[in-house]
Amino acid sequence: MYEAQCAVVGTVITHPVKRQTASGEQVLSFRMASNARRQNRTTGEWTDGGTLYLTVTCWRRLVTGVGASLMNGDPVVAYGQLRTNEYTTREGVERADLEMTASAVGPDLSRCVVEVDRRRAAAKLVEQDGSEDAVEPDRGDEDEYDEQDPTDPGTEFSDTHDAVTAAV
């Protein structure tokens, strides 16, 4: 079977719904729409093109992140395997739906601003609270960077890692 992997940029149009399979595995699904807009070069006016509708299904680790982060109306980028689900309704009408099994889902940062909540930062907070069960997350070479204020316009960072590390 040929697997079509692609990214779809659009908007969440239903609230994500989480359910559990018979085997106990969690799955989360939502519908999204991707609209095409084009500018007429002679008039300068924007016109709406067609709309692509699809159902996005998330499994395993994506369930928690998507369920806690996205809701109806959010701008989203979904990447995964596309397939067509063909079926016949009770009335005998043949239909086809486009479905994506997502391997990555995130906000469309060209249309929104988000605050990232990293799991390793949460693990560090647990450790600071004195919990005996806390585990130090692996942070690589993070400690060798100087403390800099990412909100200070005069701050210059030598690379992206410095800016991200300082912001966390």
Side-chain angles (χ1 to χ4, degrees):
M1 175 177 174
Y2 297 102
E3 297 179 359
Q5 299 278 334
C6 75
V8 179
V9 178
T11 304
V12 177
I13 60 171
T14 62
H15 291 291
V17 175
K18 185 169 35 170
R19 57 183 167 38
Q20 200 167 16
T21 65
S23 63
E25 195 169 9
Q26 291 189 344
V27 60
L28 181 135
S29 298
F30 63 91
R31 300 264 304 151
M32 69 178 285
S34 180
N35 300 318
R37 288 183 50 90
R38 293 186 173 53
Q39 187 176 25
N40 184 325
R41 292 185 182 201
T42 55
T43 65
E45 292 182 20
W46 286 92
T47 58
D48 291 328
T51 302
L52 172 73
Y53 295 99
L54 68 147
T55 300
V56 180
T57 304
C58 304
W59 296 87
R60 293 174 273 295
R61 294 188 316 176
L62 273 180
V63 172
T64 303
V66 172
S69 304
L70 295 179
M71 58 191 203
N72 191 5
D74 286 345
V76 66
V77 179
Y79 178 81
Q81 179 184 349
L82 280 180
R83 65 187 167 113
T84 303
N85 179 27
E86 298 175 357
Y87 61 96
T88 305
T89 65
R90 292 180 186 150
E91 293 80 29
V93 179
E94 292 188 14
R95 300 263 174 122
D97 286 336
L98 188 60
E99 297 181 350
M100 174 185 283
T101 302
S103 55
V105 176
D108 179 359
L109 297 179
S110 70
R111 297 187 291 147
C112 70
V113 176
V114 298
E115 184 176 322
V116 178
D117 180 18
R118 292 177 180 79
R119 291 180 187 222
R120 66 179 179 186
K124 181 73 171 178
L125 290 175
V126 170
E127 179 185 337
Q128 289 174 352
D129 287 342
S131 172
E132 294 179 29
D133 298 330
V135 177
E136 175 65 28
D138 180 21
R139 297 185 184 274
D141 298 333
E142 188 173 295
D143 295 329
E144 68 185 51
Y145 294 98
D146 294 332
E147 292 292 323
Q148 297 172 314
D149 183 3
T151 60
D152 179 8
T155 302
E156 294 184 23
F157 296 101
S158 60
D159 64 9
T160 306
H161 184 269
D162 288 349
V164 171
T165 303
V168 176

